[in-house]
């Protein structure tokens, strides 16, 4: 199973970008897509190059957690 991007801090995403041979500011861009634009997949992060998106998608995924409890009023 691939590692989940959701839940990582912007600082952790900067480090992750560096580890994938991307510039650190790419981590901040990824955080923007995840936490402000609420994208459903890496392919939607259009300000990242296709090569960066491919590299990111090869190792990571966006996986939300299942709800613990649901209540209807």
């Amino acid at each position: 199973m691939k590692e989940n991007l959701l839940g990582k801090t912007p600082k952790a995403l900067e480090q992750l970008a560096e580890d994938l041979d991307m510039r650190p500011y790419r981590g901040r861009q990824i955080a923007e897509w995840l936490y402000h634009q609420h994208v459903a997949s890496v392919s939607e992060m259009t300000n990242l190059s296709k090569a960066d998106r491919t590299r990111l998608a090869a190792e990571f995924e966006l996986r939300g957690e299942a709800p613990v409890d649901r209540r209807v009023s």
Side-chain angles (χ1 to χ4, degrees):
M1 179 178 275
K2 295 180 184 178
E3 190 174 344
N4 192 7
L5 281 176
L6 290 173
K8 294 192 179 300
T9 65
K11 194 68 170 169
L13 291 167
E14 285 182 30
Q15 184 60 53
L16 180 145
E18 285 188 84
D19 293 345
L20 292 174
D21 296 324
M22 298 179 201
R23 302 217 183 234
Y25 73 89
R26 292 292 189 200
R28 293 187 296 276
Q29 290 176 316
I30 294 166
E32 174 71 23
W33 284 111
L34 294 176
Y35 303 123
H36 297 281
Q37 301 298 324
H38 305 287
V39 295
S41 73
V42 172
S43 64
E44 295 177 59
M45 300 179 184
T46 55
N47 63 344
L48 301 179
S49 70
K50 186 174 182 178
D52 286 348
R53 284 180 281 168
T54 299
R55 196 172 322 137
L56 195 61
E59 295 191 37
F60 298 92
E61 64 184 354
L62 280 70
R63 185 177 62 247
E65 300 299 324
V68 175
D69 188 20
R70 180 173 178 226
R71 296 177 187 204
V72 179
S73 62

